[in-house]
Amino acid sequence: MMLLLPKKFDENEIFILIIGFFLTLLVLILPRKFSLTETVLIFLFNFYLAAVVDHIIAGPPLNLYDIMDDPKFEIMDLFMYLFVYTSSGYLFIYGYTYFSRPWYKSTAYVLAVALFTVGLEWIAHNFLVFKYFEWSIYFSMIAYVILFTVNIYFFKLVRHLLRNAHVPGQ
């Protein structure tokens, strides 16, 4: 399968490149909090999660929205999955480690980050990154709460498994 180039290089590609650059830079400059294994798994999980959720919701038969210029998978979609979604998931978990206890702090953190992410999605929508058909930005709030919660449980599972595996360097 050959990756399609954008139909035209315009505001949505520039927006994704800028956001991807800054998120990746933030990941790189923050002090290390996770082992290499945890980091790789967080990135892989968020790549997979974004790809699967977008495929289910944005692809046929639902086709609730399009990403970027073309409903077909293009190189900027891959860039978004590799840098924007993966870095966002990593940064969410990074912040979660500060707010994981007590439960009301973690709940408030998930809701606050979901609301912030909805705001970023609204900006991305205005830059034509997302074109909604049967989707509403309000659905995104519910989706982000679920996706961030799934991220937390995945992270807890990874931590549990790595601690019990006695892997050197963990």
Side-chain angles (χ1 to χ4, degrees):
M1 177 176 108
M2 188 171 165
L3 285 175
L4 298 173
L5 294 174
K7 290 180 180 176
K8 61 182 179 171
F9 194 84
D10 54 15
E11 65 264 1
N12 56 3
E13 286 84 11
I14 293 168
F15 180 83
I16 291 302
L17 288 173
I18 291 170
I19 294 298
F21 172 78
F22 281 114
L23 288 173
T24 303
L25 183 64
L26 186 56
V27 167
L28 293 173
I29 64 174
L30 283 172
R32 298 290 157 248
K33 225 177 162 52
F34 310 119
S35 70
L36 178 61
T37 303
E38 289 171 323
T39 300
V40 168
L41 288 173
I42 291 167
F43 272 78
L44 286 173
F45 180 72
N46 280 284
F47 179 89
Y48 174 78
L49 188 62
V52 168
V53 169
D54 275 347
H55 180 75
I56 290 170
I57 298 173
L62 296 178
N63 196 29
L64 301 178
Y65 58 87
D66 277 344
I67 303 169
M68 303 304 283
D69 297 325
D70 198 306
K72 295 178 184 164
F73 194 75
E74 64 178 47
I75 196 158
M76 290 308 294
D77 294 333
L78 180 61
F79 185 88
M80 196 158 53
Y81 290 130
L82 286 174
F83 297 100
V84 175
Y85 291 147
T86 57
S87 296
S88 297
Y90 177 88
L91 292 169
F92 170 77
I93 293 297
Y94 193 96
Y96 170 75
T97 61
Y98 291 103
F99 298 102
S100 59
R101 289 194 173 85
W103 68 269
Y104 57 85
K105 280 188 179 179
S106 62
T107 302
Y109 176 71
V110 168
L111 293 173
V113 174
L115 189 60
F116 177 75
T117 308
V118 166
L120 290 177
E121 182 180 318
W122 179 80
I123 294 169
H125 173 68
N126 287 314
F127 277 92
L128 305 176
V129 173
F130 301 104
K131 294 173 196 84
Y132 303 138
F133 304 127
E134 299 296 323
W135 189 257
S136 165
I137 194 86
Y138 302 109
F139 300 153
S140 295
M141 182 67 181
I142 297 165
Y144 290 132
V145 168
I146 293 167
L147 294 171
F148 289 140
T149 302
V150 168
N151 255 280
I152 290 169
Y153 282 106
F154 176 77
F155 176 68
K156 287 180 177 184
L157 176 64
V158 165
R159 277 257 159 113
H160 173 77
L161 292 173
L162 289 175
R163 286 197 173 127
N164 290 335
H166 303 293
V167 178
Q170 299 301 322

